[in-house]
Amino acid sequence: MIMRLFVQFFRIGLFTIGGGYAMVPIIEHEISTTSKLLSKAEIDHVLLVAQSAPGPIAVNTAFLIGRHIGGWKGAVATCLGVSLPSFLIILLIAIHLSGFFELPEVMSSFRGIRGAVVALIALTGVRVARRTCSVFLVTLAVIWFLLLIFTGINPYQIVALSVAAGLVREFLRRRHKGGKAR
């Protein structure tokens, strides 16, 4: 199982361009749909925790999935698997291909890939929103988005306001239900 996890995440790392959020639909497909190692609900939970933790989301997600499926050995295997392809490619380019990124063909290829990256990131947002959003969350997202665009408010303040809004909502919910938490 550990080697299988390594190979799956190595393949994910090898064929994903555009960062961690572009990897999410591929990770979900590979782990939930293809190999059925985790359910979509479990993947959503992993993504929630991975986004909350400091560090790259791809490595955080790989770590949490690996740990859940294969313990600490699984976590190491998935982290190495998802990270190793990028490391090897960058090492190869640094050693042998100075000037590689200045080639017109390479620059054109990366411009073309941008569309796929935007689509994969948007797909991640839509899938997570479909499974987790409520009227409350959508309302907050719209308010925060408008504040960020039109007021120049600091993103850290948005996070603090989000925490406060969540706590107030839970307080009101408990008060309304006679002290019971949902």
Side-chain angles (χ1 to χ4, degrees), residues 9-90:
F9 277 85
F10 187 88
R11 190 170 53 232
I12 290 167
L14 189 60
F15 290 103
T16 304
I17 296 174
Y21 285 103
M23 279 185 181
V24 170
I26 297 168
I27 290 171
E28 181 178 332
H29 177 77
E30 187 74 23
I31 299 302
S32 180
T33 306
T34 303
S35 60
K36 300 191 185 322
L37 293 171
L38 295 178
S39 69
K40 290 190 186 293
E42 289 171 314
I43 294 284
D44 287 344
H45 180 73
V46 164
L47 289 174
L48 177 68
V49 175
Q51 291 176 73
S52 302
I57 189 169
V59 175
N60 291 348
T61 303
F63 174 85
L64 292 168
I65 289 172
R67 177 80 168 93
H68 183 78
I69 295 169
W72 288 106
K73 289 180 183 178
V76 170
T78 54
C79 286
L80 283 174
V82 81
S83 304
L84 199 55
S86 296
F87 174 77
L88 294 174
I89 290 168
I90 290 169

Side-chain angles (χ1 to χ4, degrees), residues 82-135:
V82 81
S83 304
L84 199 55
S86 296
F87 174 77
L88 294 174
I89 290 168
I90 290 169
L91 184 63
L92 176 70
I93 290 169
I95 292 172
H96 298 290
L97 302 172
S98 62
F100 175 76
F101 288 107
E102 285 80 30
L103 294 173
E105 297 83 4
V106 173
M107 291 174 70
S108 294
S109 297
F110 279 112
R111 276 193 292 275
I113 288 171
R114 286 182 193 149
V117 170
V118 169
L120 288 168
I121 293 170
L123 177 63
T124 300
V126 168
R127 283 184 177 170
V128 169
R130 272 192 203 151
R131 293 193 295 254
T132 61
C133 276
S134 63
V135 173

